[in-house]
Amino acid sequence: MNLESATKYFFCKTQSFTDAPRCTGDTLTGTDVMGAFGMCQSEAELGFKAFLGKLSLSPEDSKRAIQLLTQHGMKHCDKVAALRKLDTKIKFKVVQVLAKFSFKDYCRSASGKEQCPKCQGRKLIYRKKDVVKHPGCGESVKARVVNETVGDMCDHCNGKGEVSVACRDCRGRTVSLDQSETERQGVPVMKDCKRCRGRGYERVPAADAFRAICAFTDTISAATWDKTIKPFYDQLCTQLEIEESWAETSLNRVTG
């Protein structure tokens, strides 16, 4: 059993009314599966919680995954000189912010959506405008112009309040048309999308994590971030993928 097939045990099942007996082979019961999940968590808790948090099965799984990733970051952050020099409380906040953004990047997919950056999820953009007021009908009644706040539909998200994180070039397909090879061979030739590098979605900008860190400390400069802390942030992103692989290996071994 892999992690992807294990998610079906977290949802309700339809009652089947049939006279056919259950299979008497090596079928895992619900108790066996729950026991396997417990053993998997004892060996690779971070990977298991991160995977469940990515599927949004429970907010507690996401919080626990961020907490475990923060603990992992605190164990290895002293290898980075810029982080080692920070005060303990500031260092913990920095690592926690990096863990939150790493988990957010890990949870992204081509079908995911995020809050519209232009309207901040409000679906409308409010601005001051001159509005013509008509108090009534008749020739003697004159319209007056009033400057007031008016809400217009956001053009960026078309009033939805959220936008897709799929790649703008390949639209989440991970591949794009190679124009030069298509013209040379006379048939459509596909290649990995250069914009998203074959992922199908856009990653969380690392600059967002840097701005979040600068909100509570000014000891980290842009040059320090690019040279030392950003590689550490990328390692945290990669660590989640490694932990998920370990969790799947552990689950396969327990249920195999």
Side-chain angles (χ1 to χ4, degrees):
M1 179 190 298
N2 55 20
L3 289 175
E4 186 175 355
S5 62
T7 56
K8 63 183 179 182
Y9 293 96
F10 292 90
F11 300 96
C12 298
K13 294 184 178 180
T14 304
Q15 182 68 39
S16 59
F17 298 94
T18 176
D19 57 351
R22 292 188 59 186
C23 177
T24 58
D26 298 332
T27 304
L28 294 175
T29 63
T31 305
D32 297 334
V33 173
M34 294 302 107
F37 287 168
M39 296 181 66
C40 179
Q41 290 187 68
S42 64
E43 296 180 357
E45 184 178 5
L46 175 55
F48 191 76
K49 291 294 185 181
F51 182 78
L52 297 183
K54 179 168 67 173
L55 299 180
S56 301
L57 296 179
S58 171
E60 298 299 326
D61 293 328
S62 301
K63 293 179 182 178
R64 181 57 179 167
I66 294 174
Q67 182 182 3
L68 292 173
L69 185 60
T70 303
Q71 295 176 2
H72 172 81
M74 289 298 295
K75 292 180 181 178
H76 299 84
C77 67
D78 287 340
K79 298 178 182 178
V80 182
L83 296 177
R84 186 172 61 249
K85 297 176 182 178
L86 294 176
D87 183 70
T88 304
K89 294 182 179 180
I90 300 298
K91 183 195 303 183
F92 178 78
K93 289 183 179 181
V94 170
V95 175
Q96 190 176 40
V97 168
L98 295 179
K100 289 180 180 179
F101 277 89
S102 299
F103 183 75
K104 182 179 179 181
D105 183 76
Y106 165 77
C107 294
R108 280 207 164 188
S109 64
S111 61
K113 295 182 179 181
E114 65 178 1
Q115 187 183 75
C116 177
K118 192 172 182 180
C119 66
Q120 304 299 325
R122 294 191 299 266
K123 302 180 182 181
L124 298 173
I125 297 179
Y126 296 92
R127 56 172 65 94
K128 289 285 185 177
K129 277 188 175 182
D130 292 334
V131 182
V132 180
K133 297 288 186 179
H134 296 275
C137 300
E139 297 180 358
S140 60
V141 179
K142 294 183 179 181
R144 59 192 180 92
V145 179
V146 180
N147 187 268
E148 61 181 18
T149 303
V150 180
D152 296 330
M153 186 183 71
C154 178
D155 297 331
H156 188 68
C157 62
N158 293 325
K160 298 179 181 178
E162 56 184 12
V163 293
S164 175
V165 299
C167 177
R168 297 179 183 178
D169 290 350
C170 66
R171 302 296 181 182
R173 294 187 295 267
T174 71
V175 293
S176 59
L177 186 67
D178 191 339
Q179 294 289 349
S180 60
E181 287 296 323
T182 298
E183 294 176 358
R184 188 177 66 86
Q185 299 183 22
V187 293
V189 178
M190 309 303 292
K191 64 177 181 178
D192 289 341
C193 179
K194 291 184 178 181
R195 186 183 184 93
C196 64
R197 297 181 181 180
R199 288 188 301 269
Y201 59 92
E202 297 180 0
R203 295 187 59 185
V204 176
D208 293 349
F210 176 62
R211 283 192 291 267
I213 292 174
C214 293
F216 57 84
T217 179
D218 55 354
T219 58
I220 300 176
S221 62
T224 303
W225 164 262
D226 292 333
K227 292 181 180 179
T228 59
I229 301 181
K230 188 177 181 297
F232 178 74
Y233 165 73
D234 294 333
Q235 290 177 7
L236 292 180
C237 298
T238 307
Q239 186 64 30
L240 288 172
E241 300 288 346
I242 297 174
E243 293 288 343
E244 180 185 337
S245 178
W246 288 348
E248 183 160 2
T249 302
S250 177
L251 187 62
N252 284 329
R253 183 175 55 81
V254 171
T255 58

